[in-house]
């Protein structure tokens, strides 16, 4: 038998293997974001309140029937010098007709995702900047950010060259228009 030489593992390969082997405590969420492993504790009740209010509106008001997942792992294009990003948005929406979540692996590609939602928590900078870039690199059309520190809701649109070209921000209490395939004004009055 002849030994077959293997290419040496890169630092990115080792980091990805270590990340995928993590066994996080129940309720904790582990993500690999721009080459950094991020582990977050279970969210507080206010965090879940915002998600609940948004999901309810999306399901009831969208012009396209939407599927929702609150724990779907997405793989996204890598930042330079880092392994592919592995991110778990607070909410992921896709057109029901795609059945995108059915049969998907724990970590699935983001093709077909219509919108992701993040609500700021212990590391708000990650949601405002780093995750925004991750989602844009993945060409996810819409990124909705509920910023609890700033009391604002921002919709990022038109991903291009690793960021979103447009953003529409409203303070809590004001409606925010969601474009197709959603096609309704998101009410934020009960965020106050």
């Amino acid at each position: 038998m002849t030994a077959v030489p293997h290419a040496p593992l890169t630092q990115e390969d080792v980091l990805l293997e270590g990340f995928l082997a993590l066994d996080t405590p129940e309720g904790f969420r582990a993500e690999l974001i721009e080459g950094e492993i991020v582990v977050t504790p279970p969210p507080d009740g206010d965090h879940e309140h915002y998600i609940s209010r948004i999901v309810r509106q999306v399901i009831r008001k969208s012009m396209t029937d939407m599927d929702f997942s609150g724990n779907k792992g997405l793989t996204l294009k890598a930042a330079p010098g880092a392994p592919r990003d592995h991110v778990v948005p607070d909410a992921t929406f896709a057109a029901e007709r795609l059945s995108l979540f059915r049969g998907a692996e724990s970590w699935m590609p983001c093709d077909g995702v219509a919108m992701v939602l993040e609500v700021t928590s212990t590391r708000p900078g990650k949601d405002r900047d780093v995750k925004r870039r991750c989602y844009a690199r993945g060409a996810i059309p819409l990124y909705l950010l509920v910023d609890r520190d700033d009391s604002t809701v921002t919709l990022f649109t038109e991903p291009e060259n690793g960021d979103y070209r447009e953003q529409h921000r409203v303070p809590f209490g004001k409606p925010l228009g969601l474009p197709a395939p959603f096609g309704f004004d998101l009410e934020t009055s009960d965020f106050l």
Side-chain angles (χ1 to χ4, degrees):
M1 198 171 218
T2 307
V4 178
H6 293 287
L9 291 176
T10 65
Q11 184 175 357
E12 291 82 17
D13 293 334
V14 172
L15 180 61
L16 181 57
E17 281 185 28
F19 168 73
L20 293 173
L22 281 177
D23 186 20
T24 55
E26 187 175 338
F28 281 70
R29 179 180 290 182
E31 301 172 292
L32 180 59
I33 305 170
E34 293 189 348
E36 179 184 357
I37 295 174
V38 178
V39 178
T40 54
D44 62 32
D46 288 343
H47 183 274
E48 297 303 281
H49 171 80
Y50 296 120
I51 294 168
S52 173
R53 294 304 184 257
I54 292 169
V55 169
R56 182 177 294 122
Q57 289 183 63
V58 167
I59 298 302
R60 289 180 178 170
K61 297 180 179 182
S62 286
M63 59 190 251
T64 300
D65 288 338
M66 287 288 159
D67 279 339
F68 152 79
S69 176
N71 294 299
K72 190 74 220 102
L74 300 177
T75 57
L76 306 162
K77 289 182 181 176
R84 287 179 73 83
D85 291 315
H86 287 65
V87 181
V88 182
D90 288 329
T92 303
F93 298 96
E96 178 193 38
R97 65 179 164 67
L98 298 177
S99 294
L100 201 62
F101 305 126
R102 185 180 192 116
E105 298 288 329
S106 297
W107 296 102
M108 69 177 222
C110 59
D111 302 332
V113 170
M115 181 172 74
V116 291
L117 162 67
E118 295 286 356
V119 177
T120 58
S121 53
T122 56
R123 300 176 92 177
K126 290 280 184 208
D127 297 321
R128 291 180 190 132
D129 301 317
V130 181
K131 283 191 170 183
R132 185 193 76 234
R133 292 191 303 267
C134 289
Y135 297 138
R137 277 195 304 276
I140 295 174
L142 304 172
Y143 171 36
L144 185 64
L145 174 65
V146 176
D147 194 319
R148 299 191 296 174
D149 295 336
D150 292 346
S151 298
T152 60
V153 182
T154 305
L155 180 66
F156 297 93
T157 63
E158 300 183 36
E160 185 178 289
N161 298 322
D163 209 344
Y164 287 94
R165 291 183 347 160
E166 298 287 328
Q167 63 177 323
H168 310 278
R169 179 174 309 180
V170 297
F172 285 1
K174 300 287 184 187
L176 176 66
L178 298 181
F182 300 92
F184 72 93
D185 287 341
L186 179 72
E187 293 299 327
T188 67
S189 56
D190 59 356
F191 289 9
L192 294 169

